Amino acid sequence: MNNIHDMGGMTQFGPIPQETDEPVFHADWERKVFTMNIATLAFLGPVDRARHAVERMDTKEYINSGYYQRWLRGIEIMGKDLGYLSDEEIATGKAINHKETPHPPPDAAMVEGLIRAGVPATREDGRLNPAYKVGDRVRVRNLESKGHNRATNYVKGKVGVITHYNGSHVLPDSHAHDLGENAQPLYTVRFEAKTLWGENVERKDCVYIDLWEDYLESESKG
């Protein structure tokens, strides 16, 4: 979907501040939100749904929120979507209704395991015959979607070269909306900087982006 979260390639947002010896968490509440985000995967759903929840934030709220504030807002949005939270409960901080979760809440050991191991998205039973090979020139399809999508706007319609085939991976577009995993080939595609932003760039610069097969078409189709 098109929203302010897809800021890649945009200008006029000013420099990105760099903090010397920046801590992982600037406040204890950020640590708690990090843990909450991992723990709620057990019943709020996959990370793709969590990303889509953040994408649906109000534009002004998104810009004025920090990293973990967006995570917290995403948890609230998913909780409301699935009937675990209400606006009143969020406003008061008090539980009013109770909805059973499909799984028991994870304990500390389970949360630590998720953090250390992650949730692999590679699959051996998806679309296993790639349509493209390393060296192929492909164009990113200019697909408009109201749902979750991982093809950033600044590469849509642009031509790049496949540099690596990464196997079959869960398609976020489907997974975020309970439409199945739809695992398919994932490629790393190299784009010349001048292809993306014109001639006023360093000619040696390039960008590598991982893109699913459904996002691509052969250059010749254009």
Side-chain angles (χ1 to χ4, degrees):
M1 63 182 295
N2 290 326
N3 206 345
I4 192 61
H5 70 278
D6 194 358
M7 301 172 71
M10 293 185 182
T11 59
Q12 307 304 317
F13 284 98
I16 299 174
Q18 298 186 34
E19 185 177 341
T20 303
D21 298 323
E22 182 179 7
V24 176
F25 304 107
H26 290 81
D28 190 56
W29 72 265
E30 294 184 342
R31 187 190 310 274
K32 292 178 180 178
V33 170
F34 177 85
T35 305
M36 287 168 56
N37 192 64
I38 301 299
T40 55
L41 290 175
F43 57 91
L44 291 185
V47 65
D48 302 305
R49 179 183 287 155
R51 289 186 176 123
H52 185 51
V54 174
E55 292 168 357
R56 290 156 53 201
M57 288 177 63
D58 173 77
T59 298
K60 185 176 181 180
E61 180 186 14
Y62 184 94
I63 291 176
N64 291 318
S65 297
Y67 185 69
Y68 289 106
Q69 288 174 308
R70 293 170 187 164
W71 277 30
L72 179 58
R73 186 69 178 116
I75 293 171
E76 293 173 349
I77 290 171
M78 287 189 293
K80 288 173 58 179
D81 286 347
L82 298 172
Y84 293 110
L85 286 175
S86 66
D87 287 327
E88 184 178 357
E89 288 173 312
I90 293 171
T92 63
K94 297 180 179 179
I96 299 173
N97 300 305
H98 177 73
K99 178 180 178 180
E100 292 293 333
T101 60
H103 308 287
D107 57 24
M110 293 173 64
V111 171
E112 182 179 356
L114 281 170
I115 294 171
R116 292 185 181 277
V119 182
T122 54
R123 296 292 184 269
E124 298 298 330
D125 57 352
R127 193 190 305 171
L128 300 176
N129 297 315
Y132 307 106
K133 62 183 184 301
V134 172
D136 282 353
R137 293 178 60 82
V138 292
R139 177 179 285 101
V140 183
R141 299 169 64 197
N142 191 10
L143 298 173
E144 175 59 35
S145 171
K146 293 183 179 180
H148 184 52
N149 183 278
R150 298 301 298 278
T152 186
N153 281 329
Y154 69 87
V155 299
K156 290 180 179 179
K158 305 297 185 180
V159 173
V161 177
I162 292 176
T163 62
H164 193 71
Y165 167 59
N166 302 293
S168 185
H169 284 240
V170 173
L171 180 68
D173 309 43
S174 301
H175 208 211
H177 302 287
D178 296 325
L179 298 176
E181 293 189 337
N182 192 18
Q184 59 181 257
L186 178 70
Y187 306 90
T188 301
V189 184
R190 180 181 187 270
F191 297 90
E192 300 290 340
K194 66 179 181 179
T195 298
L196 302 177
W197 297 297
E199 295 295 331
N200 192 27
V201 296
E202 293 289 340
R203 291 190 174 273
K204 65 180 180 180
D205 288 350
C206 59
V207 177
Y208 292 83
I209 299 181
D210 289 340
L211 295 164
W212 277 261
E213 191 166 277
D214 278 1
Y215 299 167
L216 305 173
E217 63 184 11
S218 173
E219 179 188 21
S220 61
K221 284 192 175 182

